[in-house]
């Protein structure tokens, strides 16, 4: 979900909002599917994969989501750079109901680009969390989800570079 906040000197502040409940819903669904298709005789192993959203386990997911959202903000640096407003940071575990990325974009920035960016970041967050969880509970499948996460990051970079780089058409004499 994305929205524009305010206009300022030829730019707009846009916010990409990611609801924790929606991220967890997707993460739990993918973990459930991975557990269901596991080739194992052990129901315990299957349940370990599927219990990603249970008390205690979800703390790891929270840490991974916090790290992944920070990585996305850094990746989007040309649009997200901000002066330091809180000189002291701490690493206390906080379950936020939403995660947000504030972007300062040129006034002519495309809504379709913003929508694509929001969906790619969502995909990255979910795949990164699933990959991390599977690295603990079913390591052979973790790489599949890590590749999906990296593919989303690559597409974010590609779209970001396409949007930032000015396209110049060389003049032709004929």
């Amino acid at each position: 979900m994305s929205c524009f906040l305010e206009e300022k000197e030829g730019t707009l502040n846009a916010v990409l909002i990611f609801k924790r409940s929606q991220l967890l819903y997707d993460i739990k669904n993918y973990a459930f599917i991975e557990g269901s298709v596991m080739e194992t005789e052990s129901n315990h192993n299957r349940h370990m994969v599927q219990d990603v959203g249970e008390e205690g386990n979800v703390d790891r997911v929270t840490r991974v989501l916090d790290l992944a959202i920070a990585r996305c903000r850094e990746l989007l640096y040309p649009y997200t750079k901000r002066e330091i407003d809180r000189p002291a940071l701490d690493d206390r575990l906080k379950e936020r109901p939403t995660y947000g990325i504030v972007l300062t974009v040129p006034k002519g920035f495309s809504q379709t680009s913003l929508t694509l960016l929001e969906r790619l970041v969502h995909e990255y967050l979910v795949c990164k969390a699933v990959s991390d969880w599977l690295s603990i509970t079913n390591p052979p499948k973790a790489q599949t989800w890590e590749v999906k996460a990296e593919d989303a990051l690559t597409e974010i970079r590609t779209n970001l570079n396409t949007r930032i780089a000015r396209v110049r058409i060389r003049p032709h004499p004929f």
Side-chain angles (χ1 to χ4, degrees), residues 125-142:
L125 296 172
V126 169
C127 291
K128 195 66 180 170
V130 172
S131 169
D132 181 78
W133 185 249
L134 290 175
S135 74
I136 298 166
T137 60
N138 188 11
K141 290 300 283 186

Side-chain angles (χ1 to χ4, degrees), residues 90-102:
D90 65 67
D91 67 345
R92 285 181 285 175
L93 184 65
K94 299 173 192 106
E95 289 186 7
R96 296 166 177 83
T98 59
Y99 296 89
I101 299 177
V102 178

Side-chain angles (χ1 to χ4, degrees), residues 102-170:
V102 178
L103 304 163
T104 303
V105 297
K107 195 170 182 180
F109 198 87
S110 170
Q111 178 65 45
T112 57
S113 296
L114 193 61
T115 300
L116 178 60
L117 182 60
E118 176 262 328
R119 297 209 171 121
L120 288 169
V121 171
H122 179 97
E123 180 72 6
Y124 172 72
L125 296 172
V126 169
C127 291
K128 195 66 180 170
V130 172
S131 169
D132 181 78
W133 185 249
L134 290 175
S135 74
I136 298 166
T137 60
N138 188 11
K141 290 300 283 186
Q143 187 59 33
T144 300
W145 289 92
E146 186 61 32
V147 168
K148 288 177 182 276
E150 290 304 316
D151 287 349
L153 268 188
T154 299
E155 199 166 339
I156 291 169
R157 277 189 200 100
T158 300
N159 288 311
L160 182 66
N161 290 337
T162 301
R163 181 66 194 142
I164 290 175
R166 179 174 237 152
V167 177
R168 299 197 74 149
I169 300 173
R170 298 181 87 132

Side-chain angles (χ1 to χ4, degrees), residues 12-60:
L12 295 170
N13 282 342
V15 181
L16 303 179
I17 300 168
F18 304 94
K19 292 185 178 181
R20 177 182 171 78
S21 61
Q22 293 299 305
L23 294 168
L24 287 176
Y25 178 82
D26 288 349
I27 293 164
K28 288 177 193 179
N29 274 342
Y30 291 136
F32 182 82
I33 292 166
E34 283 292 346
S36 295
V37 299
M38 273 179 73
E39 295 179 13
T40 182
E41 298 292 323
S42 170
N43 278 337
H44 176 71
N45 291 347
R46 186 180 318 278
H47 288 292
M48 288 304 298
V49 170
Q50 294 173 332
D51 287 347
V52 66
E54 298 302 314
E55 187 176 342
N57 298 347
V58 77
D59 293 344
R60 178 64 193 162

